Amino acid sequence: MSDRSIRFTHAITRAPGASVTAGLRAVDTGMPDLALMQRHHAQYVACLRETGAEVIELPALEQFPDALFVEDTALCLPEGAVVMRPGAPTRLGEAAQMAPHLEALYDQVLWIKGPGTIEAGDILTTEREILVGRSARTDALGIAELADLVAPWGYRLREVITPPGVLHFKTDCALLDPETILSTARLADSGCFAGYKLINTAPGEEAAANVIRFNDRVLMPAGFPQTAERLAAAGFDVHLIGNSECAKLDGGMSCLSLRFSPPR
Ligand code: GLY
């Protein structure tokens, strides 16, 4: 089996700006501390870069407070990239800001044109399929449009459900290797991962589910020792990254980068 769902030559990140304090959040758990977030972000970028990948660091976009969460703007596959159409009105313009950076690396950059919406935080790409969670940000029309765009590249897309009250599908799950998924119990209980090996987050550590497998590493938010131990015991090379400030904006490890291997 190939492992292109976990091995990447490139990543794109975007620095948090001062406007991040106005970022979207489901519940107010305190104002993000920009300086601490910048330190965590630098730790995250360094961890990606240490795997040998090229990390393209984009400058902050002050007019878009959530723009550091670049993952939501695009789906990057080996064949091409698809620019998303975010469902949060304040985030809609972020996608067009990302497009030129993808066009510099890919021959094929397609766009979700609407009227549906879709954010790539709701998309989990595995070796065998693309799972898309319908959520408050991602609707049936957006999913259908994505399915049509990626079908010529040979991808099978499966619609699943993001748990109620959860921001994105990948808030609650992550691909650890081509066969193994880390998931919260509330998402795994839906049965959507039948056929995969599963590791559940430890009870009370649901926020640990949003990790990324990036080359030989698993980047994981600090503060979830039982889940970290489960991953280490399963043989994964776990790297803990501070995430306290992004967590105040419902952001995590996957949200902070686009990870891909462009064809040229
Ligand atoms: N604050 C991240 C989001 O709501 O999209």
Side-chain angles (χ1 to χ4, degrees), residues 23-26 65-66 68-69 72 88 90-91 94 119 137 167-168 246 248-251 255:
L24 298 172
R25 65 209 80 179
D66 286 293
L68 74 159
F69 302 125
D72 293 313
T90 59
R91 302 199 59 191
E94 291 176 29
E119 297 186 0
R137 303 279 181 87
L167 175 58
H168 287 130
C246 287
K248 292 172 182 169
L249 303 176
D250 307 319
C255 315

Side-chain angles (χ1 to χ4, degrees), residues 41-126:
H41 200 263
Q43 189 187 7
Y44 178 90
V45 168
C47 195
L48 296 179
R49 199 166 267 148
E50 282 162 13
T51 71
E54 179 179 339
V55 182
I56 300 164
E57 293 184 81
L58 302 179
L61 279 179
E62 294 295 354
Q63 68 271 42
F64 296 107
D66 286 293
L68 74 159
F69 302 125
V70 285
E71 171 172 69
D72 293 313
T73 63
L75 174 64
C76 296
L77 298 167
E79 296 81 2
V82 182
V83 179
M84 298 284 111
R85 188 163 185 271
T90 59
R91 302 199 59 191
L92 192 54
E94 291 176 29
Q97 296 282 340
M98 182 56 69
H101 304 291
L102 299 173
E103 284 160 354
L105 293 162
Y106 279 103
D107 291 329
Q108 291 204 73
V109 177
L110 310 179
W111 290 70
I112 300 288
K113 297 197 173 86
T117 62
I118 182 164
E119 297 186 0
D122 281 314
I123 303 176
L124 182 73
T125 304
T126 76

